């Protein structure tokens, strides 16, 4: 997704959804009915957000070190500042609402309101994380030439990193240290990892141009 107009639209959409989510969280604080309602729109202990962020930064550090070890550090794609803004401010909101929000709620609770067995929940988490990784354009891309598979070492490595990040963010949502199953730690962990990644890209000269 490199077209500036689409990045503007998606960034605006992500920020708008975040505004709605914050409104629902505010309603929850007042013990009022949420207006929308969006998943996980409750407060979380500070420790839950710190643990989520710490975990994603550890994953980012491991990813960076392994890239160098495997000789993949130079196989990066150039990006713009607008894409960087989208990846930090909007993509984490959209992806967390969908994957750790609606999907996590469906995995954790059956239609009759009963909790599913842990083996069912975590099997679903693994499957959803595979989907999360495959939706990112690491093993494929779509351009003027159409749909093209890119089944190279860098693509598999980046997909594995996305899979691991997804697993950790599900833990951050469902773990006992997040008793209300708030999405706030997921937003912070995901956004923090993307911010660290974009900072690394900038330091290496991979961020070029505004749009």
């Amino acid at each position: 997704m490199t077209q500036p107009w689409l990045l503007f639209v998606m960034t605006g959409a992500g920020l708008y959804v975040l505004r709605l989510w914050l409104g629902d969280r505010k309603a929850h604080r007042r013990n009022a009915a949420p207006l929308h309602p969006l998943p996980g729109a409750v407060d979380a202990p500070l420790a839950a957000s710190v643990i989520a962020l710490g975990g994603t930064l550890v994953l980012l550090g491991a990813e960076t070190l392994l890239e160098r070890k495997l000789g993949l550090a130079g196989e990066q794609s150039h990006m713009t500042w607008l894409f960087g803004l989208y990846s930090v401010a909007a993509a984490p909101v959209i992806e967390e609402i969908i994957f750790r929000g609606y999907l996590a709620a469906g995995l954790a609770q059956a239609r009759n309101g009963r909790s599913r067995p842990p083996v069912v929940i975590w099997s679903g988490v693994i499957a959803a994380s595979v989907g999360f990784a495959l939706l990112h354009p690491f093993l494929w891309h779509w351009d003027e030439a159409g749909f093209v598979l890119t089944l190279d070492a860098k693509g598999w490595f980046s997909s594995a990193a996305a899979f691991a990040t997804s697993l950790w963010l599900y833990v951050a949502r469902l773990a006992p240290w997040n008793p209300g199953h708030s999405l706030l730690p997921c937003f912070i962990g995901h956004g923090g990892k993307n911010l660290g990644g974009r900072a690394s890209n900038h330091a290496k000269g991979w961020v070029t141009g505004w749009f």
Side-chain angles (χ1 to χ4, degrees):
M1 187 169 60
T2 57
Q3 298 89 342
W5 69 268
L6 184 55
L7 286 171
F8 272 117
V9 170
M10 293 299 294
T11 300
L15 293 175
Y16 178 70
V17 171
L18 178 61
R19 179 175 175 270
L20 298 181
W21 187 91
L22 291 172
D24 280 356
R25 188 182 68 160
K26 187 176 181 180
H28 183 269
R29 287 175 173 175
R30 300 195 309 265
N31 292 319
L35 296 176
H36 305 104
L38 290 169
V42 297
D43 286 314
L46 176 61
S49 296
V50 171
I51 292 170
L53 178 59
T56 55
L57 292 181
V58 168
L59 288 171
L60 176 61
E63 182 181 342
T64 302
L65 290 174
L66 280 172
E67 273 188 331
R68 293 176 182 173
K69 189 87 172 175
L70 297 173
L72 301 173
E75 299 182 33
Q76 301 284 345
S77 299
H78 288 280
M79 65 184 66
T80 63
W81 284 101
L82 178 58
F83 180 85
L85 175 64
Y86 163 74
S87 69
V88 172
V93 175
I94 296 170
E95 293 175 359
E96 293 310 309
I97 289 285
I98 295 171
F99 283 92
R100 263 61 64 179
Y102 290 115
L103 280 180
L107 292 170
Q109 195 171 63
R111 290 184 179 180
N112 59 11
R114 295 182 179 179
S115 296
R116 299 184 191 274
V119 66
V120 174
I121 294 173
W122 292 105
S123 295
V125 163
I126 291 171
S129 295
V130 170
F132 178 82
L134 292 178
L135 281 174
H136 287 73
F138 300 133
L139 294 172
W140 58 272
H141 67 266
W142 195 301
D143 54 23
E144 294 80 5
F147 181 81
V148 179
L149 291 174
T150 52
L151 305 178
D152 54 16
K154 175 62 176 174
W156 286 110
F157 178 84
S158 296
S159 296
F163 174 77
T165 300
S166 177
L167 288 180
W168 172 246
L169 291 171
Y170 275 110
V171 171
R173 173 88 199 276
L174 300 173
W177 61 73
N178 184 7
H181 302 310
S182 171
L183 273 179
L184 182 60
C186 303
F187 291 154
I188 292 173
H190 195 156
K193 183 175 187 288
N194 285 4
L195 178 61
R198 299 299 83 78
S200 176
N201 294 144
H202 175 63
K204 295 173 183 176
W206 294 103
V207 180
T208 56
W210 290 100
F211 307 107

